[in-house]
Amino acid sequence: MLSEIISLAGIGLLASLGLGIAAKKFAVEEDPRLEKMLEILPGANCGACGFAGCAAFARAVLQETAPPNGCVAGGESTALKVAKLLGKKAEKTERRVAYVACHGDRSVTRQRFIYQGIDNCRAAVNIGGGSKACAFGCLGLGSCQKVCPFGAISIEDDLAKIDPEVCVGCGLCVEECPRDIIHLVPAASTVQVLCSSQNVGKAVKEFCDVGCIGCRRCEKSCPFNAINIVNNVAVVDPAKCRRCGICVEICPQNTIQFFLPIVRKASINSEICISCGRCEKACPFNAITGERGVPYRVSAERCKGCGVCVEACKADAIIMLEES
Amino acid sequence: MILHHFPGGIHPNDEKGLTAHLPVENAPVPERVFLPLSQHIGAPAEPVVKIGDTVKVGDKIAEARGFVSANIHASVTGVVRAIRDYPNVFGRLAPAFEIETTDDAPFHPKKNREDALSLPPQTLIPFIREAGIVGMGGATFPTHVKLSPPEDKPIDTLIINGVECEPYLTADHRLMLEHPSEILEGIVFLHHILGARFTYLAIEANKPDAIKVMEETARDTKINIVSVPKRYPQGAEKQLIKTLTNREVPTGGLPMDVGAVVQNVGTTFAIREAIRWGKPLIERILTVTGRGIKTPKNLRVRLGTPLSEILNLCGGWKTTPGKLIMGGPMMGINQFDTRVPVTKGTSGILLLPRDEVGEYHPHTCIRCGRCVTVCPMGLLPNFLGSFAEFDRFDDAARYHLLDCIECGSCTYICPAKRPLVQMIRYAKGEVLRRRKKAAKK
């Protein structure tokens, strides 16, 4: 009995000694910052940075082959933390989000045939180009939902919907979509055209109740020339768009919608206002009125939040107030 | 002769009785034909006529671009009205000629090459290429490419494929009954080009009349008329080579790798017309069949005739429409637009009534292994399907995914109603897409 205990304990002791020496001798030198960096990174291994995963990205940042703000999924807060860890200044990153340029769900679109295959958009388009009559519409079989590592995509009534609050803009769904109707846009842009159909208006009406028919009413009504019809579908230029929402109101098909519903209103500080009247002239919606000598006023009803008056004001008396 | 055995295969009801006894009728020339620029595997042809040009039947209107491509000819005499996007067999839009018919005269040959056999073999291939002939069994691979094997791959076996194993279709069957001597002449031309030692004409055992007619016609020749057992997919190229020669085409290879060339009887007939009369491929025989059509027919149709014209000619739907298939029930392509034109690879039009079309929802694989026992390529469709389902494309490729011939036997037999061919086809597309992407990097 005693000899067994001694011999087993002896083997254990010997093995632990060997392991201890090996651990010291063959230890791999790792940058101590790597572990900290991995704690900062989201850990979803989405690959949007262009590296094989979060660890590969972290090593690349430490070797200075990747920028500190390279993590798309983490966004600005992660970039700041990474930069702080490295003792660098983070360059500003613009948060981008994906959206599906189609809102034709089962109830408003027509089918060409009954599809009985597997739930996979890429496989479904091989069969006659997909069962949805519109060749530019979302198939709603959930290929994008499957690749999203953040659970931002849901399928409702054969239509993919992306939650802009959850989406981090990694772009995996953009690549997966066989119809190429998922786009990455700056999160600050608020007006989206929820249709990709390049068909002419008559064909669109045949296939779908809510598609862009290319009527050009948005193009004509936009005070900033920010929306144009290209290939029979409205396209918003985010650089010019002031999110006034005129196009959202005028669209007969309800195709143009606010993305993140933020309401902005101009507000004039009466103490600073010099009553010059420049804002009144600049406002495209006649929302500002006043007389010389008296501070000008904004009609909350008419103001669309375009912010033109802010630029026109020489006294910096106007600010935009946001209300969700 | 001793026949060999390929693995697997299935025995669907062949349903050929609907049209096997009906002689081929000439369909009237339609008012307008629509000829897609791509009716073959390979690069689309390049138009050589302009909108507004007057063309005569048999005139070349588009030229092959590259080696693996085929010429397109006007199938009617008329005026080119447009070159525009038009629905194709795959349910998409693709550029096509629209020709308005002004004269329904048939093709009139300018020459009669009675001396073709005295010409050097290689000089016959340009006649075939010029005529725009492609494999008419459905694969539409340009024929002149098949007949020009590289020098390190000698051909010793020529196989003419009259098997027609697809259920319902009888176009090749009728062709053999009605034009045996023309087919024979085509075989002689092919033999002259390839100089093969063995020449076989394989016909499935369910066509005894065709076997008898061809045997009588070929009595004084060295052509072996072989009756092959009825089993699907007996008419698939690789399976037919195995049956007749016991040679197996290596993975990723072509029949020429084992010294064989396989040509469909329809193609052989077209080759004869091209060499003898200089007649390009402007019409073909197809079977309009199924219990959904009022009067099933075997028709000789000008290429580019829209489906709607053919359906009208055969009396239209008899019952509630279920499926409209271009080709046979196993490998054909579902259609949902009757504007789609007949092209070089259209061997049949099948109309299935609503009550013959099942509605299935795929289950998980129950691991019964029936798909493995029927796969004629000796693959494991159960694994390939599951790999495709979970996007494990590297694993699928290791299991020889790309060797699948998409015959549909596994889907036919699957008790869990899994759409295995669809999954495999999807995985094939993804594997090739990923390879292309990796090659770019």
Side-chain angles (χ1 to χ4, degrees), chain B residues 93-107:
Chain B
L93 296 174
F97 288 102
E98 180 180 341
I99 302 175
E100 195 184 328
T101 312
T102 52
D103 184 3
D104 57 2
F107 176 78

Side-chain angles (χ1 to χ4, degrees), chain B residues 126-162:
Chain B
F127 297 143
I128 296 170
R129 189 175 57 219
E130 202 48 38
I133 294 175
V134 302
M136 288 166 75
T140 66
F141 190 76
T143 300
H144 62 269
V145 182
K146 261 188 175 179
L147 296 178
S148 322
E151 277 188 19
D152 57 327
K153 284 175 186 159
I155 302 297
D156 67 349
T157 308
L158 168 66
I159 300 170
I160 307 302
N161 187 348

Side-chain angles (χ1 to χ4, degrees), chain B residues 15-92:
Chain B
E15 306 283 0
K16 293 189 193 260
L18 283 167
T19 51
H21 58 286
L22 299 168
V24 176
E25 288 175 41
N26 284 324
V29 178
E31 275 170 33
R32 267 163 205 273
V33 290
F34 300 88
L35 294 158
L37 289 173
S38 183
Q39 302 185 29
H40 46 262
I41 287 178
E46 184 95 17
V48 291
V49 292
K50 292 185 302 294
I51 294 165
D53 283 2
T54 306
V55 289
K56 270 190 77 181
V57 59
D59 282 359
K60 181 157 71 180
I61 53 174
E63 198 161 60
R65 199 166 49 185
F67 184 53
V68 184
S69 183
N71 292 340
I72 312 276
H73 299 82
S75 56
V76 294
T77 300
V79 184
V80 180
R81 284 285 171 228
I83 302 173
R84 63 177 171 102
D85 280 349
Y86 195 74
N88 72 1
V89 185
F90 303 105
R92 315 219 170 167

Side-chain angles (χ1 to χ4, degrees), chain A residues 35-69:
Chain A
E35 208 163 310
K36 280 184 192 155
M37 184 104 75
L38 286 176
E39 274 168 32
I40 296 168
L41 295 173
N45 294 320
C46 69
C49 54
F51 293 91
C54 292
F57 170 72
R59 280 197 195 95
V61 172
L62 291 173
Q63 286 161 13
E64 305 204 341
T65 51
N69 62 358

